[in-house]
Amino acid sequence: MSDEKNPSSFANLLKNFFAVLPKEGELVKGIVISVDNGEVRLDIEGVVTGIVRGPELFAESKEFSNVKVGDEAEATILEKENENGEMELSFRVAGHHLVWSRMKKNAEDGITLEGKVLAANKGGLMMQLDALVGFMPVSQLSPDNYPRVQGGDKNRILEHLRGLIGKKMQVKVLDAIEKDEKLIISEKAVWEDEQKAVLDSFNVGDVVEGEVSALTSFGAFIKFGEGLEGLVHISEIVWQRIDHPRDVLKVGQKVNAQIIDINKSKIYLSVKRLVDDPWKSVKEKYKVGETLNGEIHKIENFGLMVKLDEDIHGLAHISELSARDAAELRERFTIGQKSDFEVISIEPSEHRLGLKLLGDKKTKEVVKEEKAEEPKEEVIEEKAEEVKEEKKEKADKKKKVKKESTAAKATVDKEASEAKSPEAKSEGEDKSEEEKK
């Protein structure tokens, strides 16, 4: 068989290889032909021998630490030809590339890996994962390591995160983008997988017994079962309005709760749904038009929250208190103060009961002042009308005087003109004589 027809011939290999000659910095693949004295030699397409030696062996990764004769390996070209006529290669970049490729596959397959916390900032943790450094956002921490800081104080959150430096965690890769050197990892993803099997034994509607593990401004966390934890939103703690969960709960307290939703690994609970809704029978207890004595429970910018009994709280809106603003409300009323109110509306489905303040001295004074101000406005309007009429009369009088003055002047001017003209006088006398005859 001739060289031209045999694609495996050395001549054709040379021709094909040098037709697309790799450049320095590019990756090439070869077969390991020797591993000896800290040097690894590769056969590059049967044409060139490449060598990897010194720090270029495993500087970036352990990927090639166990290579043996016959293995296929990938390396980066440092020099096309060294002093021995061999191609100088490096596992450094190739190893780095392979680690990124492996991380991408780990993300796709959902593989769990072990990482070590290297540093912390206000946004999360920097972690060592194989030969790479990845970032774990605070939101991707498991419940055990998540910083539950009152008020979300960033400095206290950072202090908590710094306490995790040096700790090893089981994590998953969420995103691996080599060109951007972006590696995002998650501890919560591992925790969620562990919870799935346990969660399968629970259903929406189940009642669980647990312990309050943390309190935040938006709700309470309750641990139950085998390492499970659910959130009771502030609106699901009691039927009444509260400012903070600590008003009715405390950490370590034993409580019963009902599962109201399960979303992947997130469990939502309710404490209040285990108690009958007191608003269902509110119309049996209270009637519109009824007068009640209630205790001021809270002072809001929009009015007073009034405690009528242990279950029902009503609202006396600021418009029903004759108050001008929130500052006046706080000046006139105090928490714990008892006053008489009239029930003006009841909406059980909306959990609303409207109230109007009765018998308040300040309210009567405000109303009295408003009524007293009304006549003043009428007096001011009457005086304005009188002044307007007076101005009109003066203007008319002035016009009349001016008109009379103009007429008198015209008469005087005429007489003066006649007195100065002899012809006019003679004609007048002749006319007079003729009238006499």
Side-chain angles (χ1 to χ4, degrees):
M1 187 178 288
S2 66
D3 287 350
E4 292 180 357
K5 293 182 179 180
N6 185 0
S8 61
S9 68
F10 187 71
N12 280 339
L13 286 174
L14 284 174
K15 182 179 180 181
N16 293 335
F17 182 78
F18 289 104
V20 188
L21 192 65
K23 300 177 182 178
E24 292 180 2
E26 292 183 349
L27 291 173
V28 292
K29 288 183 179 180
I31 303 298
V32 178
I33 56 176
S34 71
V35 178
D36 187 36
N37 297 325
E39 296 180 342
V40 177
R41 283 182 169 79
L42 304 178
D43 174 41
I44 312 298
E45 298 188 17
V47 177
V48 178
T49 298
I51 183 171
V52 186
R53 54 185 173 178
E56 303 302 329
L57 277 172
F58 318 116
E60 290 295 322
S61 173
K62 296 179 181 179
E63 186 67 32
F64 303 105
S65 59
N66 296 315
V67 293
K68 58 184 181 297
V69 175
D71 288 349
E72 184 179 65
E74 192 173 35
T76 306
I77 300 174
L78 297 181
E79 290 182 68
K80 292 180 182 179
E81 186 176 357
N82 63 13
E83 68 279 7
N84 298 318
E86 296 175 315
M87 184 178 284
E88 195 76 30
L89 304 174
S90 170
F91 281 153
R92 185 190 299 266
V93 178
H96 193 64
H97 173 70
L98 285 172
V99 173
W100 274 104
S101 297
R102 187 167 59 249
M103 285 299 166
K104 185 175 181 180
K105 192 171 190 314
N106 287 335
E108 293 171 352
D109 297 342
I111 304 299
T112 297
L113 306 167
E114 184 177 82
K116 183 179 179 181
V117 180
L118 300 177
N121 56 48
K122 292 181 180 180
L125 303 173
M126 303 304 296
M127 297 190 68
Q128 180 78 36
L129 203 61
D130 201 327
L132 304 177
V133 175
F135 177 67
M136 181 189 293
V138 175
S139 62
Q140 293 303 318
L141 283 165
S142 71
D144 290 336
N145 291 319
Y146 187 84
R148 290 173 182 146
V149 175
Q150 184 66 36
D153 187 308
K154 291 184 178 180
N155 291 325
R156 290 183 60 193
I157 290 175
L158 180 57
E159 183 181 347
H160 174 88
L161 295 177
R162 284 174 175 166
L164 300 174
I165 294 175
K167 185 175 181 177
K168 292 183 178 180
M169 298 179 182
Q170 296 299 305
V171 300
K172 285 192 174 187
V173 179
L174 297 184
D175 203 4
I177 304 175
E178 183 179 1
K179 65 176 183 177
D180 298 329
E181 294 283 319
K182 180 181 177 182
L183 182 65
I184 306 299
I185 53 184
S186 170
E187 181 193 27
K188 186 172 75 172
V190 177
W191 177 82
E192 287 177 345
D193 282 348
E194 293 173 351
Q195 304 308 303
K196 286 178 181 178
V198 182
L199 280 174
D200 287 341
S201 61
F202 291 95
N203 297 299
V204 172
D206 289 350
V207 176
V208 298
E209 182 180 355
E211 180 180 306
V212 178
S213 57
L215 298 174
T216 68
S217 59
F218 55 83
F221 288 93
I222 296 178
K223 283 189 175 181
F224 66 95
E226 298 178 14
L228 295 177
E229 188 173 51
L231 169 66
V232 183
H233 190 266
I234 188 170
S235 63
E236 291 292 335
I237 296 176
V238 290
W239 289 105
Q240 297 77 32
R241 179 189 174 100
I242 58 175
D243 289 330
H244 196 282
R246 63 170 171 261
D247 294 345
V248 292
L249 296 173
K250 60 182 180 181
V251 175
Q253 181 180 342
K254 301 287 185 181
V255 295
N256 290 330
Q258 184 180 49
I259 298 176
I260 58 175
D261 189 23
I262 298 176
N263 184 1
K264 294 183 179 179
S265 64
K266 295 180 181 178
I267 308 167
Y268 298 95
L269 306 169
S270 174
V271 174
K272 76 176 187 181
R273 298 192 193 189
L274 296 180
V275 181
D276 287 338
D277 183 358
W279 286 89
K280 290 180 180 179
S281 58
V282 67
K283 284 192 173 183
E284 297 174 10
K285 298 173 71 174
Y286 304 108
K287 307 293 181 185
V288 173
E290 182 180 0
T291 298
L292 304 168
N293 185 265
E295 179 183 326
I296 297 174
H297 183 59
K298 290 175 187 172
I299 301 175
E300 307 282 7
N301 290 336
F302 51 81
L304 305 176
M305 298 303 299
V306 181
K307 183 179 179 181
L308 302 180
D309 58 44
E310 291 301 321
D311 298 318
I312 304 299
H313 295 174
L315 169 65
H317 193 269
I318 190 170
S319 62
E320 299 295 341
L321 300 169
S322 299
R324 295 179 177 83
D325 51 37
E328 186 178 338
L329 276 182
R330 289 175 171 78
E331 181 183 335
R332 289 170 53 192
F333 302 99
T334 58
I335 293 175
Q337 176 183 334
K338 292 186 176 181
S339 300
D340 290 330
F341 297 89
E342 178 189 343
V343 179
I344 58 175
S345 66
I346 301 176
E347 299 176 70
S349 61
E350 300 296 328
H351 290 187
R352 292 177 185 168
L353 188 149
L355 299 170
K356 179 180 181 181
L357 185 65
L358 297 176
D360 182 65
K361 184 178 178 181
K362 178 65 178 178
T363 302
K364 291 179 179 178
E365 288 177 356
V366 171
V367 173
K368 187 176 179 180
E369 287 175 7
E370 290 176 352
K371 287 183 178 180
E373 288 175 357
E374 290 177 2
K376 290 181 181 178
E377 292 179 0
E378 292 177 0
V379 170
I380 292 172
E381 289 178 1
E382 289 176 1
K383 286 185 176 180
E385 288 294 328
E386 290 177 4
V387 171
K388 190 175 179 182
E389 289 295 330
E390 287 179 5
K391 286 184 177 180
K392 187 178 180 183
E393 288 178 5
K394 287 182 180 179
D396 291 343
K397 191 174 181 180
K398 190 173 181 181
K399 286 180 181 179
K400 186 177 180 181
V401 171
K402 186 176 181 181
K403 187 175 181 182
E404 291 175 351
S405 174
T406 303
K409 184 178 179 183
T411 303
V412 172
D413 290 343
K414 184 178 180 182
E415 291 176 352
S417 177
E418 290 176 351
K420 290 178 182 179
S421 176
E423 293 179 358
K425 186 177 179 183
S426 177
E427 288 177 359
E429 289 176 353
D430 292 342
K431 189 175 181 181
S432 178
E433 287 296 329
E434 288 178 1
E435 288 177 353
K436 287 180 182 179
K437 289 180 182 181

